[in-house]
Amino acid sequence: MSGPTHGRYAGIGMTSARTRDRLIQRLQEQGIRNLAVLDRIRNVPRHIFVDEALASRAYEDTALPIGHSQTISQPYIVARMTEALIEGDRKIGKVLEVGTGCGYQTAVLAPLVKKVYSIERIGPLHKRAKATLKELGVKNVMLKHGDGFEGWKSQKPFDGILVAAAPLSVPDALFAQLANKGRLIVPVGPEGAQQLIRFTRRDDHIDREVLGPVAFVPMLGGLT
Ligand code: SAH
């Protein structure tokens, strides 16, 4: 049998349902309320996205290494960003994600929106994410090996933009590709002093809300 509730995806021991339930409880205690988001965190097999040697730690609420000096995002942060993006009654259409990494955030987000367009600048991570998301049967995503500073012009405008690496200031291209009423969730600032910000476009002006301090890898230009 295959599928998210069977075999390798279901998990055993430190990757079992009981371990995952403890993570969900912890996220609720920290203020995550959106049930659809909590359900995704419970059901996406995070242990499939990390090296086998780290599988036993996959349901701890921490970032873990995925190679190339990058990390899989902390579950709390993935939940917080996803919640901030989809909040409200309106079903979100197209979402641009900058920083695919291993594809974990992409997998959590995909069924909650119409389509995810995700960009990663590191070639091998892009390739691996593509294979993992295919294996998990996540269909409404398009992945690109590219530079997120440029956004994804041919697919604009986006109802949501979610950035998983921290720029020093928000790239103009991202504001330019945000639809009216669209939301941009982005960590901004230098290492040690980043804030997670939610920008919302309202006709000709952009609202800015500070969601709190965070620690992301820096957003870097160019491809590798
Ligand atoms: N959310 C991801 C992890 C993100 S780590 C996950 O769950 O796995 C941040 C990622 O952003 C890294 O993979 C890094 O290579 C990528 N990144 C940094 N700058 C970028 C840029 N300009 N364009 C695209 N990706 C970028």
Side-chain angles (χ1 to χ4, degrees), residues 70-71 73 99-102 105 120-122 147-148 164 217 219-220:
Q70 303 304 321
T71 56
S73 305
T100 317
C102 65
Q105 163 85 71
E120 170 58 53
R121 66 180 285 274
I122 300 178
D147 182 354
V217 296
M219 186 165 167
L220 303 172

Side-chain angles (χ1 to χ4, degrees), residues 46 49 66-74 78 97-106 119-122 125 144 146-150 162 164-166 216-223:
R46 192 167 182 256
F49 290 86
I66 53 172
H68 310 273
S69 309
Q70 303 304 321
T71 56
I72 181 172
S73 305
Q74 181 193 352
V78 170
E97 179 186 45
V98 174
T100 317
C102 65
Y104 175 67
Q105 163 85 71
T106 323
I119 309 177
E120 170 58 53
R121 66 180 285 274
I122 300 178
L125 287 180
K144 175 161 106 168
D147 182 354
F149 276 104
E150 293 165 16
L162 199 155
F216 278 81
V217 296
M219 186 165 167
L220 303 172
L223 303 189

Side-chain angles (χ1 to χ4, degrees), residues 7-23:
R8 191 156 95 86
Y9 302 143
I12 47 161
M14 287 311 286
T15 61
S16 68
R18 207 144 62 91
T19 310
R20 298 186 198 190
D21 283 343
R22 274 199 293 271
L23 171 61

Side-chain angles (χ1 to χ4, degrees), residues 8 15 47-57:
R8 191 156 95 86
T15 61
H47 63 283
I48 301 292
F49 290 86
V50 296
D51 197 88
E52 248 174 86
L54 290 169
S56 67
R57 300 190 54 201

Side-chain angles (χ1 to χ4, degrees), residues 21 23-33 35 38 42:
D21 283 343
L23 171 61
I24 299 308
Q25 198 184 340
R26 192 187 141 100
L27 298 186
Q28 283 177 310
E29 283 163 10
Q30 291 186 92
I32 304 297
R33 291 280 169 269
L35 295 178
L38 290 167
R42 190 196 312 270

